[in-house]
Amino acid sequence: MNKQRRSCMKAGAVALAMAASGAASTAGAAAPSWPVRPITIVVPYAPGGNTDLMARLIGEQLAKALHVPVVVDNKAGAAGLIAAEYVARSPADGYTLFMGTLTQISTAPFTNKIRYNPVKDFVPIANVGGNPFVITVNARVPARDVKELIAYAKQHPGKLNMGNAGVGGLTHLSALVFAKYTGIDVVEVPYKGASLALGDVVAGQIDMYSGNLSEVVPYARDARVRLLGVSSKNRVKQLPDVPALAEAVPGIPEVETWNGLLGPAGMPAQAVDRIAAAVLAALADPAFRKKLEDAGITPLPEVKEQFAQRIRRDIEVWKPMIEMAGIKPE
């Protein structure tokens, strides 16, 4: 009797173990893989600018590749630092991404008193594209080229005003580099986004703006503005008739930016890998590359460690340039 009871108990234990094992196996098989809900890309500027455009373009590609909706959330202000801190403090689950720029990641420590660590609080996922800047003036400014602009500014110190998309951002820093190397005195006017600043140049509310190539390309034939010079080492194919600033100002540093996807540190490797792969696939597609290039954007297919290396290199390059411009963290 006791032997039979022990046999029954043993059989029951085996059955329970098998049931538990089967349940665990079923649960494991049914465990959802990332992603299972919408992904948000946080953009650090107002709608309509270069970064916003790139976020929306790559967001469409991610939605197709990952089979979930991708939403763009614009959180403008403080040269994008508000958005950067928001993402740095977000759950590291892969559902909140940052369409970061060189401004919030590589130069922020030297221009602002920030409450996040650009290197430790983010994981670089995939760069998307970049471009130089273009000195753009309202048509009422009596200058047809860079040399005439410099001459006019020196004859009228403090008369010209120059908009930027936020203090400490690259539209601001590129303008300061231009002013520093040309010796001109202009009044800086900060805005909460690139589209707002450029819009006021077109409308004649301000005189000048150092804008991303992709932002100003649509205005290349607009009689209301003039595109005087690009901040790259050489001319760009999208604006072949616009000279490089170095042609008129020998020795002026080359200034270019990038826009890429980052996430909060600690994101699941699966999420990082799938986003990186989706971005690389998009940038390898000739039709998508043409969309970027037509908008004045140079595709930059760099993911994970390669993207991280660019960030570290930019930090080394920009630190002395910002100090040269006399900017201190505020």
Side-chain angles (χ1 to χ4, degrees), residues 125-144:
I125 303 173
N127 205 352
V128 178
N131 46 47
F133 293 80
V134 184
I135 297 297
T136 305
V137 301
N138 181 268
R140 291 183 296 185
V141 175
R144 297 281 173 179

Side-chain angles (χ1 to χ4, degrees), residues 89-314:
R89 303 289 176 258
S90 295
D93 54 13
Y95 292 101
T96 303
L97 307 178
F98 183 44
M99 191 64 182
T101 76
L102 186 149
T103 297
Q104 298 87 40
I105 303 300
S106 301
T107 65
F110 316 116
T111 59
N112 298 84
K113 292 180 180 178
I114 56 178
R115 295 185 294 183
Y116 62 91
N117 187 308
V119 175
K120 294 182 179 179
D121 291 343
F122 289 97
V123 55
I125 303 173
N127 205 352
V128 178
N131 46 47
F133 293 80
V134 184
I135 297 297
T136 305
V137 301
N138 181 268
R140 291 183 296 185
V141 175
R144 297 281 173 179
D145 56 38
V146 171
K147 289 185 177 180
E148 288 185 5
L149 176 63
I150 296 170
Y152 179 80
K154 288 184 175 180
Q155 291 168 5
H156 305 85
K159 180 178 180 179
L160 293 176
N161 50 52
M162 192 164 198
N164 63 62
V167 175
L170 275 190
T171 58
H172 180 214
L173 295 177
S174 61
L176 289 182
V177 168
F178 177 70
K180 182 80 173 180
Y181 275 82
T182 57
I184 63 174
D185 177 17
V186 296
V187 178
E188 288 288 336
V189 182
Y191 287 77
K192 287 188 176 182
S195 59
L196 303 175
L198 184 55
D200 273 5
V201 174
V202 175
Q205 300 299 314
I206 56 174
D207 302 309
M208 305 167 57
Y209 178 62
S210 179
N212 279 301
L213 177 67
S214 58
E215 295 165 354
V216 303
V217 161
Y219 296 92
R221 294 178 177 81
D222 193 324
R224 294 173 294 177
V225 297
R226 297 193 191 98
L227 311 183
L228 301 187
V230 295
S231 66
S232 51
K233 187 177 298 183
N234 302 301
R235 299 189 185 200
V236 295
K237 66 179 183 180
Q238 292 92 340
L239 299 172
D241 297 327
V242 179
L245 292 177
E247 295 179 37
V249 189
I252 190 170
E254 178 182 19
V255 178
E256 292 188 287
T257 188
W258 51 259
N259 293 263
L261 292 172
L262 304 99
M267 266 183 62
Q270 178 194 22
V272 173
D273 291 344
R274 291 195 64 189
I275 295 169
V279 173
L280 283 180
L283 293 177
D285 177 26
F288 183 71
R289 289 179 66 92
K290 187 175 187 304
K291 278 187 181 180
L292 294 180
E293 291 170 348
D294 287 349
I297 299 164
T298 301
L300 295 174
E302 302 167 337
V303 300
K304 297 188 290 188
E305 179 54 29
Q306 189 180 14
F307 188 17
Q309 288 176 0
R310 172 183 284 272
I311 290 170
R312 291 193 292 268
R313 184 173 64 249
D314 284 342

